[in-house]
Structures are given as C-alpha cells and as structure tokens.
Amino acid sequence: MKVTVLGKWGAYPEADGATAGYLYEQDGFHLLVDCGSGVLAQLQKYINVNDLDAVVLSHTHQDHMADIGPLHYASLIQHSLGHRDTVLPVYTAPVDVEKISSIADTPWMDVIEYNPQSELNVGPFTMLFSETEHPVPCQAIRLSAGGTNVGYTADTSWLDKWPTFFKGVDLLIAECSFYDGQDSKVAGHLTSTECGQLARECEAGELILTHLPHFGEHDTLLEEAKAQFDGRVLLAQTGQVWEK
Ligand SMILES: [Zn+2]
Ligand SMILES: [Zn+2]
C-alpha cells in the first residue's frame, strides 16, 4: 500500500500547502481520504485527477472537505471534455449526506452513505470506523489493503478506545493539533504527547503527526511524541510517501 500525504495543516493551509488529504494506492486503485482546502491542487502533483477512483470523508469541517466543491467542478469539466466517463463516488457518514449532497450530488459525482457500524469495502480497501470526540460528528478510520493496516485518527480528543481500535496498525496517522501540556480536549483534538502515547499503546509500526498547528515549532511536537514512542515518528509533509 502506498500512502501520500497531500496536506499537513489543521484549520487552513499556509502558502503552497493544504489541510487534511491522504492519497491511498493499492493495485492501481486511488482512494482519497479527506479533501481539505488545497488538496485538489496537491493531488494533481501525483496523479491525474481522472485517475481518482473514490473519496471518503471523516467529517464536514472545512479543513477536511473544502475541496469537494472544486473536485466536483473538476469532474464536471473532465466529463464534458470526454476525459472521464465514470461517476466519482464520495463516501460520507449518514449525518453528513445532506450537506455533501448539496455540493456534490450531480451526474458527475455520487454521494454515498457509509454505515459507521459496518465494514466499508471500496476497491481493494476495507475500512472500519469509530466515532471520535469532536465538536461535530467525525469518524476515525482503520484502513486495510494487501495485508497492510493504516490508522487515521481524523479529528478527536483522547478516548480510551483508541489503543484497541488502532491495535497493531503498520502506520498511525495521528492529528497533532496541540503541544504537550496544552488543553486539547476542550477543542476535540490531540496533543503530541497523546499521539506518542497512542502509537505506543496500540503498538503501531510508525507514526506520522499531521493536522499541525499554526503556532510553535513543529520539531517540538516531534520531540514530545518521540518521548512516548520508540518507533519511527515523522512530521507530515506535503508529498511525503509511506509504502509497505
Ligand atoms: Zn480538522
Ligand atoms: Zn474537525
């Protein structure tokens, strides 16, 4: 499985960057998980937009879905040019279907409801969901393909179920919105220390810190997570590739 980080920022993208978006590839299938601000432009550095096979959304905060509108226009234009003949499916939780449909449910994009209680199979990928603690409904995702497992926290504060839900993942992509000692819970996010603790407790192979804050020194986040977890820890970067 190949994972390409398209955006590392929480909230809004800084210059030339993007917020949440992760491209997963397996057996020639291209799955985008989250489609935040700036993600569509970044995606096209790595694949032709017509090669995108499906999108899955964790929740409808703008830093995770702002580019669904532009992606819809891309699909419309590419259909009208005769470059795309398949409808792009966008999978979203039941609670978000109406909101996403108002933007994207057209002849060029198909909004499909997933059941967070069930396994979702999309191409070669299998996904399991778990509701996070966040100001709006949000789903963490455990994604598997070809014997490789990747955990994505989406946006959440610490919950005791996380080490079990993400048990044994080869890679944990954890949102790291705050530094050690800050009150992350009130905003529904994780600190660097909690990310490291989670990676240790779920026995992750590697940890990528993402959804990074617009303050402080990100290297400090890295040091704080490393103090909790002996495995490899990386700060998310646009274009970073992880493969197993
Ligand atoms: Zn977010
Ligand atoms: Zn959010």
Side-chain angles (χ1 to χ4, degrees):
M1 189 197 302
K2 182 177 177 184
V3 185
T4 305
V5 175
L6 300 180
K8 68 175 183 180
W9 294 106
Y12 69 93
E14 293 198 5
D16 299 325
T19 60
Y22 307 89
L23 179 64
Y24 292 82
E25 298 178 56
Q26 175 80 29
D27 304 335
F29 193 96
H30 299 91
L31 172 71
L32 177 64
V33 173
D34 279 347
C35 188
S37 179
V39 165
L40 179 56
Q42 297 297 334
L43 175 82
Q44 293 169 92
K45 289 182 180 177
Y46 309 105
I47 63 168
N48 186 306
V49 70
N50 292 319
D51 291 334
L52 183 61
D53 294 295
V55 183
V56 174
L57 299 176
S58 65
H59 68 306
T60 55
H61 273 157
Q62 294 294 337
D63 52 337
H64 298 253
M65 54 76 73
D67 270 9
I68 285 293
L71 183 58
H72 158 255
Y73 284 139
S75 197
L76 182 161
I77 298 290
Q78 294 300 315
H79 269 90
S80 64
L81 293 172
H83 297 157
R84 184 176 187 112
D85 55 9
T86 54
V87 177
L88 182 61
V90 178
Y91 294 86
T92 189
V95 69
D96 298 324
V97 163
E98 203 173 322
K99 186 169 185 178
I100 300 300
S101 294
S102 69
I103 304 166
D105 202 11
T106 65
W108 312 282
M109 210 179 231
D110 202 5
V111 179
I112 301 170
E113 179 178 311
Y114 61 69
N115 179 355
Q117 320 301 332
S118 303
E119 197 175 275
L120 173 66
N121 294 293
V122 178
F125 295 98
T126 297
M127 282 162 273
L128 293 170
F129 302 93
S130 190
E131 175 107 25
T132 77
E133 188 168 271
H134 197 54
V136 301
C138 176
Q139 298 294 329
I141 303 172
R142 185 186 172 111
L143 188 146
S144 309
T148 300
N149 296 286
V150 178
Y152 172 49
T153 63
D155 285 6
T156 188
S157 54
W158 178 272
L159 293 173
D160 289 340
K161 68 179 177 178
W162 292 142
T164 305
F165 181 66
F166 292 120
K167 197 73 181 175
V169 292
D170 299 287
L171 171 66
L172 177 66
I173 301 174
E175 72 112 309
C176 186
S177 300
F178 289 96
Y179 293 78
D180 179 57
Q182 291 188 305
D183 184 1
S184 61
K185 199 164 185 68
V186 68
H189 289 296
L190 293 171
T191 67
S192 50
T193 299
E194 289 170 325
C195 292
Q197 181 188 347
L198 176 53
R200 184 184 73 239
E201 290 189 13
C202 78
E203 299 172 326
E206 298 182 40
L207 170 63
I208 291 179
L209 304 174
T210 193
H211 202 277
L212 302 175
H214 297 269
F215 53 89
E217 294 295 329
H218 290 167
D219 282 345
T220 305
L221 298 170
L222 198 60
E223 288 165 19
E224 290 167 347
K226 280 181 174 177
Q228 299 292 324
F229 176 59
D230 287 338
R232 191 169 177 228
V233 187
L234 300 165
L235 282 173
Q237 300 288 345
T238 297
Q240 180 180 48
V241 172
W242 182 94
E243 211 161 350
K244 185 176 178 185

